[in-house]
Amino acid sequence: GQRQRVALARALAVRPAAVLAPAGMVIPVVLVVTLVALAILGAVGARAGGAPLLPATIRVLVWGAFAMAVTMGVGRIFGIAA
């Protein structure tokens, strides 16, 4: 369904960024690519749902960044983050 297509699109966008990033820059490059992908997906979702573009895009971007930050924090607490 729709969720699987979104997950596939995101994976296809992030994996090349991780592979092509210079050594030592993988995490920052993946972070930026992921945030750009989240902004695009927020805008696409807003357009598909007939919602205002900017608030929807910001909402997806902010909450996505928050989720990544929480994930990173939990990983660091348990010693499994980069």
Side-chain angles (χ1 to χ4, degrees):
Q2 180 68 21
R3 288 184 182 182
Q4 289 82 9
R5 286 194 299 264
V6 169
L8 177 62
R10 186 165 179 244
L12 291 175
V14 172
R15 182 164 302 266
V19 171
L20 298 174
M25 292 296 293
V26 173
I27 291 175
V29 169
V30 169
L31 175 66
V32 169
V33 170
T34 301
L35 291 174
V36 169
L38 282 169
I40 291 169
L41 290 172
V44 169
R47 183 155 187 138
L53 189 66
L54 189 59
T57 302
I58 291 171
R59 182 175 50 250
V60 171
L61 187 59
V62 167
W63 286 110
F66 175 74
M68 288 190 297
V70 168
T71 301
M72 183 183 75
V74 170
R76 289 203 178 183
I77 288 169
F78 290 100
I80 54 172

